[in-house]
């Protein structure tokens, strides 16, 4: 086990110890002084900062961006983009330094297979907006990204592929977002990287570069570990598993297939570049990798995670 891997394991152990001690401290006569409860929490914070040192070093002296094909076709909006800030998701953990989220937007043509339940007729969906109170949550088939095909961004080898986690309801209301931020995200972080990214695929693109697709739809895998894939080959479908507010694509490049030790690598999508937050872009379905750009626009909902 590498030092960085050991740090991440210890980080999760410390948070678990903290929450256990908080519960014990509620007893009439806890077996330790209250201040001791905060020791594992402080240790977890320190370990988290230590684990993010590699990402901070990469930002100080970033490697050149790796050009790959876009992972989707159709009309999409970028969120949490590294074009606007780095680290794009606020943390360096799990190789997310240069990660991006994208959500599908309705256009002139529906995204093939997106937003439809099995056997349902394909319809053109609008993306539900964030609500203050109601509805608290929505089913995934209301979102045009759900079920959209995800494509290999380059020739490579599948290192990891999982699709057993369920697709939960959306978290695109204020009560649901508070629950996600304060409770669900913390529990998932303690469970490990797999609980954060949900169903996911890791591709080895060669040269020490790995591509990761997160929040895949349950049961949608079309490839398995060890399989060679070609650029543009369908891999799975967009879903809403893991730490996610709504069906969306989380994509990143990194230097290691293990999310606990990976450091993010900058990317650029051929013909698109790196879209900024709220920017709408279109990737042509007929010739994957030959997208047609559109003017930027602001998304109406909260940023996916």
């Amino acid at each position: 086990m590498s030092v960085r891997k050991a740090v991440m394991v210890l980080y999760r152990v410390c948070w678990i110890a903290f929450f256990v001690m908080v519960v014990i401290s509620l007893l009439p006569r806890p077996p330790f002084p209250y201040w001791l409860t905060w020791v594992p929490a402080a240790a977890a914070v320190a370990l988290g900062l230590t684990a993010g040192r590699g990402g901070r070093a990469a930002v100080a002296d970033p490697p050149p961006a790796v050009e790959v094909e876009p992972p989707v076709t159709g009309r999409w909006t970028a969120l949490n983009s590294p074009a606007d800030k780095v680290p794009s998701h606020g943390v360096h953990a799990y190789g997310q330094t240069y990660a991006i989220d994208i959500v599908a937007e309705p256009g002139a043509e529906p995204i093939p297979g997106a937003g439809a339940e099995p056997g349902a007729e394909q319809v053109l969906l609008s993306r539900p907006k964030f609500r203050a109170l109601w509805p608290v949550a929505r089913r995934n088939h209301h979102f045009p990204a759900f079920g959209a095909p995800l494509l290999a961004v380059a020739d490579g080898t599948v290192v990891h592929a999982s699709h057993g986690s369920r697709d939960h309801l959306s978290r695109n209301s204020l009560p649901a977002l508070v629950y996600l931020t304060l409770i669900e995200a913390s529990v998932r972080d303690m469970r490990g990287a797999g609980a954060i990214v949900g169903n996911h695929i890791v591709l080895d693109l060669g040269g020490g570069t790995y591509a990761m697709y997160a929040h895949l739809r349950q049961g949608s895998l079309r490839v398995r570990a060890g399989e060679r894939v070609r650029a543009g080959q369908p891999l799975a479908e967009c879903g809403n598993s893991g730490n996610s507010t709504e069906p969306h694509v989380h994509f990143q490049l990194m230097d290691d297939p293990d999310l606990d030790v990976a450091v993010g690598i900058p990317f650029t999508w051929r013909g698109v570049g790196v879209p900024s937050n709220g920017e709408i872009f279109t990737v042509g379905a007929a010739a994957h990798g030959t997208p047609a750009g559109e003017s930027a626009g602001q998304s109406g909902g909260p940023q996916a995670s």
Side-chain angles (χ1 to χ4, degrees), residues 2-5 92-96 159-160 193 200-213 252-265:
S2 68
V3 173
R4 185 174 173 82
K5 180 73 172 181
H92 296 286
Y94 310 128
Q96 296 183 97
V159 176
H160 175 88
H200 63 288
I201 288 175
V202 177
L203 296 182
D204 182 355
L205 306 184
T209 301
Y210 298 83
M212 197 274 287
Y213 307 67
Q252 66 188 51
L253 295 184
M254 51 194 186
D255 68 353
D256 194 284
D258 186 340
L259 292 169
D260 275 341
V261 303
V263 173
I265 296 175

